[in-house]
Amino acid sequence: MIFVILKLVHVLAVVLWIGGMAFAHFFLRPSVQTLEPPVRLRLLHAVMQRFFSAVLIAALVVLVSGLWMIGNAAKTSVQAGLGFNMPLDWTIMATLGIVMIAIFGHIRFALFKRLTRAVQASDWPAGGAAMASIRTWVFVNLCIGIAIIVVTLLMS
């Protein structure tokens, strides 16, 4: 039962993270392009601040629940007298998931800080440049996340 609950929590955290990136990239960003830079960047900063706080928790949940599920599968195999060979789709999912977490760390703790400083200083060109970098890396993470989903579903 605990495995099922952890898998549910794992998937829900992934849905929040991937879905939030898709929403921000394909719906929010294009919708705010008509706003003047000060209004647009303040709005995007406020949205990203809330979203990145949620993603920080989601990424930790995904990491911990994923490691627990892998560890549990390995422990069960060893206790049954079998060797544990992690399935290829799990290996791909775990590896790319760690890459996504690293990219998120760069977005949250480097690029978002640049955006915050620019918004606080009303430096709209610097804010636009920071937002462009955030947008690029969010798109990269979104593509990796979608690739993980595709690989996991097709290889299962």
Side-chain angles (χ1 to χ4, degrees):
M1 182 67 161
I2 188 125
F3 186 86
V4 172
I5 291 170
L6 277 173
K7 191 172 184 180
L8 173 65
V9 168
H10 186 84
V11 170
L12 290 175
V14 168
V15 167
L16 179 132
W17 190 358
I18 303 296
M21 289 189 296
F23 170 77
H25 191 77
F26 294 112
F27 303 99
L28 176 62
R29 185 187 61 81
S31 297
V32 300
Q33 290 304 307
T34 60
L35 300 174
E36 293 297 317
V39 175
R40 179 175 62 242
L41 290 169
R42 284 187 184 112
L43 173 64
L44 289 172
H45 180 267
V47 170
M48 294 297 153
Q49 188 168 23
R50 287 175 179 81
F51 178 60
F52 292 159
S53 295
V55 171
L56 184 60
I57 293 166
L60 290 172
V61 167
V62 168
L63 181 64
V64 170
S65 62
L67 289 173
W68 189 92
M69 288 186 288
I70 291 168
N72 186 57
K75 178 182 165 188
T76 301
S77 291
V78 169
Q79 287 175 343
L82 306 169
F84 177 70
N85 293 316
M86 194 156 88
L88 181 59
D89 59 327
W90 289 16
T91 302
I92 293 169
M93 183 181 358
T95 302
L96 291 178
I98 290 168
V99 170
M100 284 184 69
I101 290 170
I103 290 171
F104 170 69
H106 175 65
I107 293 167
R108 173 61 187 89
F109 299 109
L111 301 178
F112 186 69
K113 278 189 177 183
R114 287 185 207 156
L115 177 62
T116 299
R117 283 193 302 271
V119 168
Q120 288 172 344
S122 299
D123 184 351
W124 309 123
M131 200 60 229
S133 294
I134 290 170
R135 180 175 55 249
T136 298
W137 284 106
V138 165
F139 185 70
V140 168
N141 245 6
L142 177 59
C143 291
I144 294 170
I146 291 169
I148 292 169
I149 292 168
V150 169
V151 164
T152 304
L153 290 175
L154 292 180
M155 293 183 75
S156 295

